[in-house]
Amino acid sequence: AEHSPDLVHFHTAFLLYIVLDELISYYEGLFEHLEDEIERIEEEALRETSDDFLVRLLHLKRYVFAVGRLAEQHRGVFATFSRPDFRMVSGDEVGPYFRDLQESLNRLNDRLFAARESVNGAFDIYVSHMAHRTNALIKVLTVISTVLLPATLIATLSQLLFRLPILSSPPTAVLVLLALVLVPAAILVVIRARL
């Protein structure tokens, strides 16, 4: 009212318009902060793997949804103000102001919806990135298991079947040592050829 004293003197609906305009301006200010934060989060989603980042991402996601819900709740009220049978704010003198408010709110809601989609996209990027890292780790562990299992099996069977210490018989020791080296090497060659 201090910024637009002329509007207040015209009609009480103008004061309502000023209050609602300030409300939309406040939401737009919140949204400007959100846009910057969402851009940072989207960039970090491909690099970060920490639990702290996930906590920040989930906090931002909840915050964006909360602001979106708050702004969405005003849609019905603003639509009522635009109806021609709502006499308090209808007419040529006041009506255009409230139609402008409704358009501003609709634009804000559209932007907040896009922000929600962006945050969901950043969350999907993070989950996909973590799944890719987990798959790479599982692949390495699988190769290690595949290589070490036959060597362990050969060493165990040689002890059980021959019932001799491996190094007491030179031909047996050489045969077992060759098997321990050649079988894992052959497995590694096959794995490398398939990748």
Side-chain angles (χ1 to χ4, degrees):
E2 288 175 1
H3 292 296
S4 307
D6 297 338
L7 291 177
V8 178
H9 295 299
F10 287 137
H11 192 285
T12 54
F14 283 110
L15 184 58
L16 177 62
Y17 162 76
I18 291 170
V19 170
L20 294 176
D21 188 49
E22 286 298 316
L23 177 70
I24 290 177
S25 296
Y26 176 74
Y27 283 137
E28 287 173 345
L30 289 177
F31 181 73
E32 296 301 326
H33 168 71
L34 284 175
E35 271 187 328
D36 296 339
E37 185 65 23
I38 289 169
E39 284 180 21
R40 278 195 296 274
I41 288 284
E42 284 178 328
E43 290 173 8
E44 290 179 35
L46 285 171
R47 295 187 314 258
E48 285 290 329
T49 58
S50 67
D51 290 339
D52 293 336
F53 175 76
L54 181 60
V55 169
R56 279 182 37 228
L57 181 60
L58 290 175
H59 175 72
L60 180 65
K61 186 175 181 176
R62 281 192 298 270
Y63 185 71
V64 168
F65 276 85
V67 171
R69 273 197 313 271
L70 283 173
E72 184 67 32
Q73 290 174 357
H74 299 302
R75 191 183 295 258
V77 175
F78 280 57
T80 302
F81 289 148
S82 298
R83 288 179 21 200
D85 60 334
F86 194 75
R87 298 188 188 283
M88 181 183 163
V89 295
S90 64
D92 294 337
E93 189 177 299
V94 185
Y97 289 99
F98 283 90
R99 282 193 293 278
D100 184 47
L101 279 178
Q102 186 176 12
E103 289 174 13
S104 296
L105 181 68
N106 288 339
R107 281 193 303 273
L108 178 65
N109 279 323
D110 291 342
R111 291 172 69 193
L112 284 168
F113 179 77
R116 278 184 254 170
E117 294 298 314
S118 295
V119 170
N120 284 337
F123 186 76
D124 291 343
I125 288 170
Y126 175 77
V127 168
S128 180
H129 178 64
M130 292 303 290
H132 179 71
R133 285 178 51 97
T134 303
N135 286 343
L137 182 63
I138 294 296
K139 191 185 293 184
V140 168
L141 291 175
T142 302
V143 168
I144 291 171
S145 302
T146 305
V147 169
L148 292 181
L149 180 68
T152 306
L153 185 65
I154 291 169
T156 304
L157 287 178
S158 66
Q159 285 293 343
L160 290 174
L161 292 177
F162 298 118
R163 297 229 185 244
L164 301 169
I166 291 178
L167 299 176
S168 66
S169 169
T172 306
V174 169
L175 186 65
V176 170
L177 288 176
L178 277 174
L180 286 175
V181 171
L182 292 177
V183 170
I187 290 172
L188 280 175
V189 167
V190 170
I191 289 174
R192 193 161 188 101
R194 290 192 178 208
L195 295 178

